[in-house]
Amino acid sequence: MSLTKYRVGIVGCGGIAHFHGNNYNRFDDFEIVSVADINREAADQYAEEFFVSGKYTNYLDMLEKEDLDVISVCTWQGTHAEITIAAANSGVKGILCEKPMAINLGEADSMIEACNHNGVKLVVGHQHRFEAIYTEARKLIADGIIGQPLTVTRHIGGGLLNSGTHMIDLTRQILGDPETKWVIGQVERKTDRYERRCEIEDLCAGTICFENDIRFMLEIDMPPPHINNICVHGNDGILTSEDGKLKILNSKGGWQSINPVSDGEDQWSEFLAWLDGRINTHRCNGKQARYTVEIMMAIYESVRNKGLVEMPLKTKESPLSMMISDGTLPVEKSGKYDIRVPF
Ligand SMILES: NC(=O)c1ccc[n+]([C@@H]2O[C@H](COP(=O)([O-])OP(=O)(O)OC[C@H]3O[C@@H](n4cnc5c(N)ncnc54)[C@H](O)[C@@H]3O)[C@@H](O)[C@H]2O)c1
């Protein structure tokens, strides 16, 4: 335990904020002292549930009055950048911002810049990185259990920025966080689809090429079959997952099943260690999350440019928003709807 308690403020008091609250409360080192939500009722309910005295409907007032050390940004993704930047400039030591980090690359860059400028430790909520199956997969692949990785495939539903962010982040994690070389992708948006108030596509697919020419094939909301397993092919085997276990096939023999063992850390224990200065970084730091934002935006940019997008991506705005505004992606079935927070 560190000598001081970190004074925590929560911005956005909905579903994921409860997950944050329960996790901060596992540690004596954190104390949730105030909350902010544009919805007064949500702030009141949360404050009552977590025995918090400070309640605000404007997070800027909270930042000004509460002398906070740590902020959790648990609002809809379109507000992550604005709140993170304001928190970084307010003098906090650490920020745990929910995923997706931002809705365009320019925002992600501004968040990192504000945190670097103020010496603030920025973590993005890609907490699945701590799951045993992913930490074990990373270790096994690094040890060469399937030789040199060649391809990875992942499928998921729920939107590129919402669910795809986890898939991209986890794929980078198991491959040892490689650099990205290029991206090509396709998007369909025939309905006026939103997710937590931000425009999203109906479906999309992309191929991402990492360093060492590892290809990652990603499908989001595509027609079935939906295969949820991790699947990595290497030049000496296959690594896949089933029922919480890893399955390996390589030249040493038939399929073997591995029960993954956690490395004992989680998003909050590592955040605390980073804040205390006991470690130098966090596996979900803002720089890692920026790679994921860049890849997602490059999938959209590939549609806009009708071709392969070489990294680094230069476009700072969301190419999806640009295409919606300029009529490149006309809606065929009118009627605005949100898959997470109904209008
Ligand atoms: N890491 C994960 O696995 C995971 C899981 C679920 C949600 N999330 C992310 O968490 C974020 C929130 O999702 P949720 O499901 O909790 O949403 P939610 O709708 O349940 O809660 C969001 C809350 O933020 C409040 N809010 C919105 N804008 C605000 C602002 N400017 N200032 C203050 N409060 C504001 C809303 O009133 C609402 O109460 C999203 O970015 C989502 O992608 C992450």
Side-chain angles (χ1 to χ4, degrees), residues 12 14-16 37-38 74-76 80 98-99 125 127 166 196:
I16 200 67
D37 199 301
I38 46 172
C74 297
T75 53
W76 303 319
H80 290 177
E98 264 311 328
K99 50 58 55 174
Q127 77 280 4
H166 280 307
R196 294 185 179 92

Side-chain angles (χ1 to χ4, degrees), residues 286-298:
K287 193 176 159 216
Q288 288 303 345
R290 185 203 184 271
Y291 280 98
T292 295
V293 175
E294 187 182 30
I295 289 169
M296 296 192 293
M297 293 303 131

Side-chain angles (χ1 to χ4, degrees), residues 129-195:
R129 274 187 178 239
F130 291 91
E131 288 171 16
I133 200 148
Y134 290 107
T135 53
E136 191 83 44
R138 177 177 171 123
K139 223 180 318 154
L140 292 169
I141 292 170
D143 288 347
I145 199 156
I146 57 166
Q148 165 62 33
L150 302 173
T151 62
V152 184
T153 51
R154 295 299 319 246
H155 309 239
I156 199 163
L160 177 62
L161 265 67
N162 180 36
S163 314
T165 189
H166 280 307
M167 290 299 108
I168 295 167
D169 181 69
L170 290 169
T171 300
R172 293 193 64 257
Q173 124 95 0
I174 61 175
L175 295 175
D177 291 317
E179 293 294 323
T180 317
K181 284 173 82 172
W182 52 257
V183 172
I184 191 163
Q186 182 56 283
V187 161
E188 179 175 298
R189 190 174 189 274
K190 293 184 177 169
T191 71
D192 206 3
R193 193 176 193 225
Y194 287 71
E195 183 265 311

Side-chain angles (χ1 to χ4, degrees), residues 128 131 133-134 137 151-157 160 163-175 204-208 210 215-222 225-232 239-242 246:
H128 300 299
E131 288 171 16
I133 200 148
Y134 290 107
T151 62
V152 184
T153 51
R154 295 299 319 246
H155 309 239
I156 199 163
L160 177 62
S163 314
T165 189
H166 280 307
M167 290 299 108
I168 295 167
D169 181 69
L170 290 169
T171 300
R172 293 193 64 257
Q173 124 95 0
I174 61 175
L175 295 175
C204 78
T207 297
I208 296 113
F210 292 118
R215 300 291 204 276
F216 169 30
M217 274 81 72
L218 174 67
E219 292 191 356
I220 311 283
D221 298 301
M222 292 286 282
H226 299 129
I227 302 149
N228 294 323
N229 303 350
I230 306 169
C231 191
V232 190
L239 176 148
T240 182
S241 61
E242 197 176 87
L246 286 168

Side-chain angles (χ1 to χ4, degrees), residues 5-9 33-34 56 61-70 90-93:
K5 269 186 188 279
Y6 292 105
R7 290 171 57 81
V8 179
V33 295
S34 68
Y56 297 83
D61 292 338
M62 177 172 90
L63 292 177
E64 195 187 316
K65 292 184 185 145
E66 291 285 349
D67 190 23
L68 299 168
D69 300 306
V70 170
S90 78
V92 300
K93 299 181 175 73

